[in-house]
Coordinates of all heavy atoms in Angstrom, one line a residue:
R75 N 43.2 31.5 18.8 CA 44.5 32.1 18.4 C 44.9 32.0 17.0 O 45.4 32.9 16.3 CB 45.7 31.7 19.3 CG 45.6 32.0 20.7 CD 46.9 31.8 21.4 NE 47.3 30.4 21.5 CZ 46.9 29.5 22.4 NH1 46.2 30.0 23.5 NH2 47.3 28.3 22.4
G76 N 44.4 30.9 16.4 CA 44.7 30.5 15.0 C 43.7 31.3 14.1 O 43.8 31.2 12.8
G77 N 42.7 32.0 14.7 CA 41.8 32.7 13.8 C 40.7 31.9 13.2 O 40.1 32.4 12.3
F78 N 40.3 30.9 13.8 CA 39.2 30.0 13.4 C 37.9 30.7 13.5 O 37.6 31.2 14.6 CB 39.2 28.7 14.1 CG 38.2 27.6 13.6 CD1 38.5 27.0 12.2 CD2 37.1 27.4 14.1 CE1 37.6 26.2 11.7 CE2 36.2 26.5 13.6 CZ 36.4 25.9 12.4
S79 N 37.1 30.7 12.5 CA 35.8 31.5 12.5 C 34.8 31.0 13.5 O 34.7 29.8 13.8 CB 35.2 31.4 11.1 OG 36.1 31.9 10.1
D80 N 34.0 31.9 14.0 CA 32.9 31.6 14.9 C 31.8 31.2 14.0 O 31.4 31.7 13.0 CB 32.5 32.9 15.7 CG 31.4 32.6 16.6 OD1 31.1 31.3 16.9 OD2 30.8 33.5 17.2
F81 N 31.0 30.1 14.6 CA 29.9 29.6 13.8 C 28.5 30.1 14.2 O 27.5 29.8 13.8 CB 29.8 28.0 14.2 CG 30.7 27.2 13.4 CD1 32.1 27.2 13.6 CD2 30.3 26.5 12.4 CE1 33.0 26.6 12.9 CE2 31.2 25.7 11.6 CZ 32.5 25.7 11.8
S82 N 28.6 31.2 15.0 CA 27.3 31.8 15.5 C 26.3 32.3 14.4 O 25.1 32.4 14.6 CB 27.5 32.8 16.5 OG 28.3 33.9 15.9
Q83 N 26.9 32.6 13.3 CA 26.1 33.1 12.1 C 25.7 32.2 11.0 O 25.4 32.6 9.9 CB 27.0 34.4 11.5 CG 27.2 35.5 12.4 CD 26.0 36.0 13.0 OE1 25.0 36.3 12.5 NE2 26.1 36.2 14.4
F84 N 25.9 30.9 11.4 CA 25.6 29.9 10.4 C 24.1 29.9 10.0 O 23.2 30.1 10.8 CB 25.9 28.5 11.0 CG 27.2 28.0 10.5 CD1 28.1 28.8 10.1 CD2 27.6 26.7 10.7 CE1 29.5 28.3 9.8 CE2 28.8 26.1 10.4 CZ 29.7 27.0 9.9
S85 N 23.8 29.5 8.8 CA 22.4 29.4 8.3 C 22.1 27.9 8.4 O 22.7 27.1 7.7 CB 22.3 29.9 6.8 OG 21.0 29.5 6.3
F86 N 21.2 27.5 9.2 CA 20.8 26.1 9.3 C 20.4 25.5 8.0 O 20.6 24.4 7.7 CB 19.7 26.1 10.4 CG 19.3 24.7 10.8 CD1 20.2 23.7 11.0 CD2 18.0 24.3 11.0 CE1 20.0 22.5 11.5 CE2 17.6 23.1 11.3 CZ 18.5 22.1 11.7
E87 N 19.6 26.3 7.2 CA 19.1 25.8 5.9 C 20.3 25.6 5.0 O 20.3 24.5 4.3 CB 18.1 26.9 5.3 CG 16.9 27.0 5.9 CD 16.0 27.9 5.3 OE1 16.2 28.1 4.0 OE2 15.0 28.5 5.8
D88 N 21.2 26.4 4.9 CA 22.4 26.3 4.0 C 23.2 25.1 4.4 O 23.7 24.4 3.5 CB 23.2 27.6 4.0 CG 22.5 28.7 3.3 OD1 21.6 28.5 2.5 OD2 22.7 29.9 3.7
I89 N 23.4 24.8 5.6 CA 24.3 23.7 6.0 C 23.6 22.4 5.6 O 24.2 21.5 5.0 CB 24.4 23.8 7.6 CG1 25.2 24.9 7.9 CG2 25.2 22.4 8.0 CD1 25.4 25.2 9.5
L90 N 22.3 22.4 5.9 CA 21.6 21.1 5.6 C 21.7 20.8 4.1 O 21.9 19.7 3.5 CB 20.2 21.1 6.1 CG 20.0 20.6 7.5 CD1 18.5 20.7 7.9 CD2 20.6 19.1 7.7
R91 N 21.2 21.9 3.2 CA 21.2 21.8 1.8 C 22.6 21.4 1.3 O 22.7 20.7 0.3 CB 20.6 23.0 1.3 CG 19.1 23.2 1.4 CD 18.6 24.3 0.5 NE 17.2 24.3 0.5 CZ 16.5 25.3 1.1 NH1 17.2 26.3 1.7 NH2 15.2 25.4 1.1
T92 N 23.6 22.0 1.8 CA 25.0 21.9 1.3 C 25.5 20.4 1.6 O 26.0 19.8 0.7 CB 25.9 22.9 2.0 OG1 25.5 24.1 1.6 CG2 27.4 22.7 1.5
F93 N 25.2 19.9 2.8 CA 25.8 18.7 3.2 C 25.0 17.5 2.6 O 25.6 16.5 2.1 CB 25.7 18.5 4.7 CG 26.5 17.4 5.2 CD1 27.9 17.6 5.4 CD2 26.1 16.2 5.4 CE1 28.8 16.6 5.9 CE2 26.8 15.2 5.9 CZ 28.1 15.3 6.2
F94 N 23.7 17.6 2.5 CA 22.8 16.5 2.0 C 22.4 16.7 0.7 O 21.9 15.8 0.0 CB 21.7 16.3 3.0 CG 22.1 15.9 4.3 CD1 22.0 16.7 5.3 CD2 22.4 14.5 4.5 CE1 22.4 16.2 6.5 CE2 22.8 14.1 5.7 CZ 22.8 15.0 6.8
G95 N 22.3 17.9 0.1 CA 21.8 18.2 -1.2 C 20.3 18.6 -1.2 O 19.6 18.3 -0.2
E96 N 19.8 19.2 -2.2 CA 18.4 19.7 -2.3 C 17.5 18.4 -2.4 O 17.8 17.5 -3.1 CB 18.3 20.4 -3.5 CG 17.0 21.4 -3.6 CD 17.3 22.6 -2.8 OE1 18.4 23.2 -3.0 OE2 16.3 23.1 -2.1
G97 N 16.5 18.5 -1.6 CA 15.5 17.4 -1.7 C 15.8 16.1 -1.0 O 15.4 15.0 -1.3
M98 N 16.7 16.1 0.0 CA 17.1 14.9 0.8 C 15.9 14.2 1.3 O 15.9 13.0 1.4 CB 18.1 15.2 1.9 CG 18.5 14.0 2.8 SD 19.7 14.5 4.1 CE 18.5 15.5 5.1
F99 N 15.1 15.0 1.9 CA 13.9 14.4 2.5 C 12.6 14.4 1.6 O 11.5 14.3 2.2 CB 13.6 15.0 3.8 CG 14.8 14.9 4.9 CD1 15.8 15.8 4.9 CD2 14.9 13.8 5.6 CE1 16.9 15.6 5.8 CE2 15.9 13.6 6.6 CZ 16.9 14.6 6.6
G100 N 12.7 14.5 0.4 CA 11.6 14.4 -0.5 C 11.3 15.9 -0.9 O 10.5 16.5 -0.4
G101 N 11.9 16.4 -1.9 CA 11.6 17.7 -2.4 C 12.4 18.8 -1.6 O 13.4 18.4 -0.9
D102 N 12.0 20.0 -1.7 CA 12.7 21.1 -0.9 C 12.4 20.9 0.5 O 11.3 20.9 1.1 CB 12.1 22.5 -1.4 CG 12.9 23.6 -0.8 OD1 13.5 23.4 0.3 OD2 12.9 24.6 -1.5
I103 N 13.5 20.6 1.4 CA 13.2 20.2 2.7 C 12.7 21.5 3.5 O 12.3 21.3 4.8 CB 14.5 19.8 3.3 CG1 15.7 20.8 3.2 CG2 15.0 18.5 2.7 CD1 17.0 20.4 3.9
F104 N 12.8 22.6 3.0 CA 12.2 23.8 3.8 C 11.0 24.3 3.2 O 10.7 25.6 3.4 CB 13.4 24.8 4.0 CG 14.5 24.3 4.8 CD1 15.7 23.7 4.2 CD2 14.4 24.3 6.1 CE1 16.7 23.3 4.9 CE2 15.4 23.8 6.9 CZ 16.6 23.4 6.2
G105 N 10.3 23.5 2.4 CA 8.9 24.0 2.0 C 8.9 24.6 0.6 O 7.8 25.1 0.3

Side-chain angles (χ1 to χ4, degrees):
R75 289 196 299 270
F78 188 72
S79 300
D80 184 13
F81 279 70
S82 60
Q83 301 304 314
F84 265 18
S85 165
F86 189 41
E87 294 185 20
D88 292 335
I89 294 171
L90 275 179
R91 285 195 175 106
T92 299
F93 194 85
F94 293 102
E96 199 84 37
M98 174 184 71
F99 296 91
D102 188 334
I103 58 178
F104 294 97

